Amino acid sequence: STGLDLPVGDAALAVGTGVLITLVAAFAPARKATLIAPIAALRTTTPAVGGFSTRRPSMQASEAMPSMGGRRSRLVSGAVVAVAGSAALLAGLFGHTGAGSLLVGGGALAAFIGVTVLCPLFAKPLAGAIGAPLRRLPGRTGVLARDNAMRNPKRTAATAAALMVGLALVAASAVLDASLKRAADQAIDQGTLAELYVQPADPDSGLDPALAHSIAAQPGVAAVGEVRETEGTIAGASFQKVDGVDPAVVGQVADLKVKSGSVAALSDAAGNLLVSASAAKSHHWTVGSAVPVKLDKSKGAGTLRVVGTFAGKGSFGDYLISLTSYDQITGQPTDTLLMVKAVPGAPVAALKARISGLLGAYPGAKVLDQAGFKQATGATLDQILNLLVALLALAVVIALLGIVNTLALSVVERTRELGLLRAIGMRRGQVGAMIAGEAMIIAIFGALLGIVLGVGLGSALAAALTRGNGAAVVAIPGTQLLVYVIGAGFAGILAAIAPARRAAKLNVLTAIASE
């Protein structure tokens, strides 16, 4: 409603950060280039294990075949950083320190760096295992593709690292989404007594309270629980869900599992508040505690008094107030959800049809059974996941461009090798298949590492977010993650099209004569 706003300071910070990170990333290869002796760089090329290579002996020794001491130091340093990062991440999620966000962010970054350092140690065996099925390709193109991916573990690992990070974040989002949906389903199963739910097409427009009275008058209806939802800042924490409920009815449509105080106390005064047991524990609140509250739909802040705690959240948030309090604070007496409890033995399908007939004045409003209500709740989480995946897809595209660049440079470096392969009978199509196979191995290698990291990160986040309601809930969407891996393989093949075409078009005699 306010138009486009471009914060110049933030834009400058983004550009400066990009330039700085680029310079930092260039430091290691720049330093390595300065260490190559000029005489060694002028030497003629020598064959490398697994094929011919145009790389100089000095670079080949330092990159393709690291010493035992170098591997040991890489293993120790990478493991230390990864373990330290994981420990900081878990401490930030499950600890009670004031620097939780800093520990989570720094720990996740350190864990990614540690795994990236360790990648070259596992690149060769994993590339060999991933490329094993390619041995069935004709003309030994699959064997050559696998050998090329295994030849330089450092380069394979570095190329796959960007894809690893992107897919790790995508996988973490998928695990978190699946876990939150399962936790929501379990909460509805355990904390909701209603058989039917009425939702408006737009929560902002809501439903007139008169509709609840009309539904309550229908035969077969035992109770109708009105819910009025908003967000607010509770004790300094923003975006907290607050629900207005009828204290006299909510016990019939939801099993709140009251731990202390009572629901009826909500109606004693307009300033009373019912808090979930997990929120009360984290804030050290007890019955009688004063809580500063500022609701989004209200004009000012105030203080509410805790009159009870509950453990069965169901479809509610952590904070409940009475409908009277909600209307006085917000000035907007509209329902965002109606929970309908049927008379025992009443046919729910017939009751659903009668309630649907009352929604003519509310276009888009719908009556849902419990399964439909779960699906609608999960759809909101899916929308958030789809937005995250769309944003993270840009990182995956950038990673694929990295594979394109690496293969293009590889074609230039192996010009003489490709010429010799063509001279002994390899066809253009087989050259393209070899390059595509190498790209697919690199992409799947990065995808597998990313999935493993993402599952770990997502599981930790899900456990931290769902443990407040009892046992932590972690769900791994195996099929979805498998689709990501397969998609990465196909994306790797697409990334290889341009380098493969260039390799296939090389003039045989010119390539053989190249140095």
Side-chain angles (χ1 to χ4, degrees):
S1 61
T2 58
L4 180 64
D5 182 20
L6 177 62
V8 178
D10 291 343
L13 178 62
V15 173
T17 302
V19 173
L20 177 62
I21 290 177
T22 303
L23 292 176
V24 172
F27 176 77
R31 182 176 180 274
K32 183 178 294 185
T34 61
L35 297 177
I36 300 174
I39 299 300
L42 293 173
R43 292 174 185 169
T44 56
T45 59
T46 56
V49 178
F52 296 98
S53 175
T54 59
R55 267 187 261 128
R56 308 304 179 192
S58 57
M59 291 187 66
Q60 192 159 319
S62 62
E63 293 185 9
M65 296 179 291
S67 65
M68 182 62 69
R71 289 196 295 266
R72 187 180 297 109
S73 63
R74 178 179 289 272
L75 176 62
V76 173
S77 60
V80 169
V81 174
V83 171
S86 300
L89 172 65
L90 295 176
L93 289 174
F94 299 99
H96 299 284
T97 63
S101 299
L102 182 61
L103 286 174
V104 170
L109 177 60
F112 277 116
I113 292 175
V115 173
T116 303
V117 172
L118 293 172
C119 273
L121 301 178
F122 307 108
K124 187 172 183 178
L126 284 178
I130 295 170
L134 299 181
R135 290 180 297 181
R136 299 179 181 272
L137 294 179
R140 296 182 61 81
T141 54
V143 175
L144 291 171
R146 186 185 66 167
D147 290 347
N148 288 336
M150 297 170 60
R151 181 188 299 177
N152 192 330
K154 280 189 177 181
R155 183 166 63 179
T156 298
T159 306
L163 186 60
M164 174 191 73
V165 174
L167 277 179
L169 298 177
V170 172
S173 301
V175 171
L176 183 59
D177 175 71
S179 301
L180 292 179
K181 286 196 293 185
R182 178 175 294 182
D185 290 349
Q186 291 181 0
I188 292 173
D189 289 335
Q190 298 170 5
T192 303
L193 303 177
E195 285 84 14
L196 295 174
Y197 305 83
V198 181
Q199 285 185 322
D202 182 6
D204 291 333
S205 59
L207 301 168
D208 193 307
L211 177 62
H213 300 299
S214 299
I215 295 175
Q218 296 298 310
V221 175
V224 177
E226 299 177 67
V227 181
R228 298 171 188 173
E229 177 187 333
T230 186
E231 287 186 344
T233 301
I234 310 295
S238 304
F239 306 109
Q240 302 299 305
K241 182 183 177 184
V242 180
D243 294 297
V245 297
D246 186 349
V249 180
V250 67
Q252 301 178 58
V253 296
D255 182 10
L256 293 177
K257 297 181 177 64
V258 176
K259 294 296 184 180
S260 63
S262 68
V263 180
L266 284 178
S267 58
D268 293 344
N272 290 343
L273 175 71
L274 205 66
V275 181
S276 71
S278 58
K281 180 180 179 181
S282 63
H283 290 280
H284 307 289
W285 291 332
T286 59
V287 174
S289 297
V291 179
V293 175
K294 169 66 171 69
L295 299 186
D296 290 352
K297 296 180 180 179
S298 65
K299 297 181 179 179
T303 301
L304 301 182
R305 185 174 65 92
V306 177
V307 295
T309 61
F310 64 99
K313 291 173 59 175
S315 58
F316 299 127
D318 288 312
Y319 306 98
L320 301 180
I321 58 177
S322 67
L323 294 180
T324 302
S325 296
Y326 184 94
D327 296 346
Q328 289 182 359
I329 296 174
T330 66
Q332 299 182 26
T334 56
D335 298 328
T336 55
L337 176 69
L338 299 179
M339 305 173 67
V340 182
K341 175 67 177 176
V343 173
V348 176
L351 180 59
K352 181 179 180 181
R354 286 197 297 270
I355 295 175
S356 298
L358 301 175
L359 302 181
Y362 304 94
K366 49 192 175 182
V367 184
L368 305 171
D369 56 15
Q370 194 166 101
F373 185 61
K374 290 179 183 178
Q375 185 176 4
T377 303
T380 302
L381 294 172
D382 286 336
Q383 290 177 357
I384 298 174
L385 173 66
N386 292 336
L387 176 61
L388 288 174
V389 171
L391 294 174
L392 294 173
L394 298 176
V396 176
V397 170
I398 293 171
L400 293 176
L401 292 177
I403 295 178
V404 173
N405 290 336
T406 298
L407 291 176
L409 291 173
S410 177
V411 168
V412 174
E413 291 178 351
R414 299 200 302 251
T415 299
R416 187 166 185 268
E417 174 187 340
L418 293 172
L420 291 172
L421 290 173
R422 290 293 310 282
I424 62 176
M426 179 175 279
R427 298 189 299 272
R428 288 186 174 182
Q430 291 175 326
V431 172
M434 179 182 69
I435 301 297
E438 183 179 355
M440 184 183 68
I441 292 172
I442 294 174
I444 293 180
F445 172 67
L448 289 176
L449 291 178
I451 294 297
V452 171
L453 272 174
V455 168
L457 177 60
S459 298
L461 291 172
L465 291 175
T466 59
R467 67 191 176 109
N469 299 325
V473 178
V474 177
I476 309 298
T479 302
Q480 188 174 357
L481 297 180
L482 179 61
V483 169
Y484 289 159
V485 175
I486 296 174
F490 281 108
I493 294 175
L494 292 176
I497 291 178
R501 285 172 59 87
R502 179 174 181 176
K505 290 182 178 180
L506 289 175
N507 182 279
V508 177
L509 295 179
T510 303
I512 293 175
S514 67
E515 291 292 340

